[in-house]
Amino acid sequence: MKLLAALLVLVGLCAAVTAPALEAQQPSQPQQQDEFVPIDELPPQDQLPAAPLLVAAYSFVVLALFAYVLSVARRLGGVQRELERFEAELKRSGRT
Amino acid sequence: MPKWFTPAAAICGLMFAVAPVLIANAPYESTMGLVQKIFYVHLPSAWMFLLAAIICGVASVRFLFRGDPRQDRLAWAAAELVVLFGVVTLVTGPLWARKAWGVWWQWDVRLTASLMGWMVAVAYLLLRRYGGPGSDKLAAGLALFGMANVPFVYISVNYWRTIHPTTNVVPTLPASFGLPLWFSAVTFLLLFVLLLRVRVRLEEQRARLDALYLSMDA
């Protein structure tokens, strides 16, 4: 009986100590909205303009395609030159 | 180069000049506004990404079963286009998502499968470049996984939970959105065909050079 009473006291003490801490951890309710804020009045860190993202996307497409075309043209030019040089060499040595 | 190449390149250049005008005149989407215009390059490049993966896979199957080196060259050329159009898709998508969804990336099935498909193509190219003798057949096997991934990428949005738009969006587009999209898609397709032809030509010339070197050694 004494043990049970001691346990009850212990549980009561624990609850008393942890209750305020748990209450502090509860997510606070979002404040009720009582006005609409135009987007241009938001602080700068909360605004996300679309134009830079759009410009970045289109710029990336143009640059990527241009870089690839340039890369293929450069590689094709290199192989073509080597082929011509090789064929000329073969012709000179009379092997073809 | 074939006779059709130069006129097709001129038409493609003209279409790339006209496409921005159509895109600029397209209406703003009601919820996403200006940033939705990324759609006109994101979707066509995604289609080319999947088309290139299919071409790479089919050519690889034909190379594996018939041993035709022309199919191998086509597969290699297509794998490069998977990487090119894949990177365009995977960069423009997050730029759109940042504004529309509030996040750059979501690990949903479509985005993850697209990234996987792109990584398979990168692995294919690395294997061809550094794999040494026999890497052509190994890479062809890898290309099959890339092709098998395509249906997952396409249908995933209809079966798994995601915030990515479903495949029903395009068929139900009003003409004001549809015209610039289809114009852009045809432009990308023409560019795709031209790039594929040039890239195959590069492999043909390389093969010719290799044959000449071998004839010299013989």
Side-chain angles (χ1 to χ4, degrees):
Chain A
M1 213 43 200
K2 271 185 183 176
L3 186 65
L4 188 66
L7 267 174
L8 281 173
V9 169
L10 194 64
V11 169
L13 274 175
C14 283
V17 169
T18 55
L22 283 173
E23 200 175 332
Q25 281 180 0
Q26 289 293 319
S28 58
Q29 290 288 317
Q31 281 191 340
Q32 196 172 16
Q33 199 165 5
D34 53 8
E35 61 171 348
F36 283 167
V37 181
I39 197 160
D40 54 0
E41 286 176 24
L42 278 174
Q45 67 270 18
D46 291 343
Q47 290 180 21
L48 187 63
L53 296 167
L54 186 74
V55 170
Y58 276 81
S59 306
F60 183 81
V61 172
V62 171
L63 284 176
L65 295 178
F66 184 70
Y68 184 71
V69 169
L70 216 63
S71 150
V72 174
R74 197 178 53 80
R75 283 182 285 171
L76 191 58
V79 174
Q80 206 92 27
R81 273 193 301 279
E82 199 177 346
L83 206 56
E84 282 163 15
R85 185 187 59 78
F86 204 80
E87 279 173 343
E89 234 171 69
L90 281 176
K91 209 172 271 180
R92 261 203 308 275
S93 63
R95 292 190 65 162
T96 52
Chain B
M1 280 295 183
K3 280 181 187 171
W4 56 264
F5 190 86
T6 311
I11 293 169
C12 185
L14 198 68
M15 289 177 82
F16 261 101
V18 173
V21 179
L22 293 178
I23 293 167
N25 287 328
Y28 290 132
E29 200 274 333
S30 61
T31 54
M32 290 180 276
L34 179 67
V35 83
Q36 181 269 342
K37 287 179 188 274
I38 292 177
F39 170 68
Y40 302 108
V41 287
H42 175 73
L43 187 63
S45 61
W47 281 342
M48 296 309 117
F49 166 53
L50 300 181
L51 178 65
I54 292 170
I55 292 175
C56 182
V58 171
S60 294
V61 170
R62 295 175 79 169
F63 171 63
L64 281 174
F65 286 99
R66 295 185 190 170
D68 185 354
R70 284 176 305 176
Q71 297 299 323
D72 183 42
R73 291 198 283 267
L74 178 62
W76 196 343
E80 259 193 28
L81 294 183
V82 176
V83 174
L84 173 70
F85 287 103
V87 81
V88 168
T89 309
L90 292 169
V91 168
T92 54
L95 286 168
W96 181 8
R98 180 68 186 92
K99 176 77 179 170
W101 301 344
V103 290
W104 294 101
W105 186 265
Q106 279 270 308
W107 289 104
D108 70 1
V109 181
R110 171 164 280 191
L111 273 65
T112 309
S114 300
L115 181 64
M116 272 175 58
W118 184 78
M119 286 165 77
V120 165
V122 171
Y124 179 101
L125 294 182
L126 289 174
L127 197 55
R128 294 305 298 255
R129 180 76 182 81
Y130 303 107
S135 64
D136 49 356
K137 292 213 164 60
L138 202 57
L142 197 57
L144 298 187
F145 286 99
M147 184 173 67
N149 185 48
V150 171
F152 274 110
V153 174
Y154 187 74
I155 61 162
S156 56
V157 282
N158 299 334
Y159 290 96
W160 281 277
R161 196 170 56 181
T162 172
I163 48 176
H164 194 284
T166 65
T167 53
N168 294 327
V169 171
V170 173
T172 56
L173 274 179
S176 51
F177 290 114
L179 177 71
L181 172 70
W182 288 109
F183 188 85
S184 185
V186 172
T187 309
F188 268 74
L189 182 63
L190 193 53
L191 178 73
F192 176 86
V193 171
L194 290 167
L195 289 176
L196 190 65
R197 184 66 197 93
V198 175
R199 189 59 187 78
V200 168
R201 167 86 174 164
L202 172 61
E203 285 312 312
E204 284 169 356
Q205 296 295 74
R206 277 181 179 162
R208 226 176 115 199
L209 193 62
D210 286 347
L212 278 175
Y213 272 117
L214 285 173
S215 71
M216 192 82 160
D217 289 343

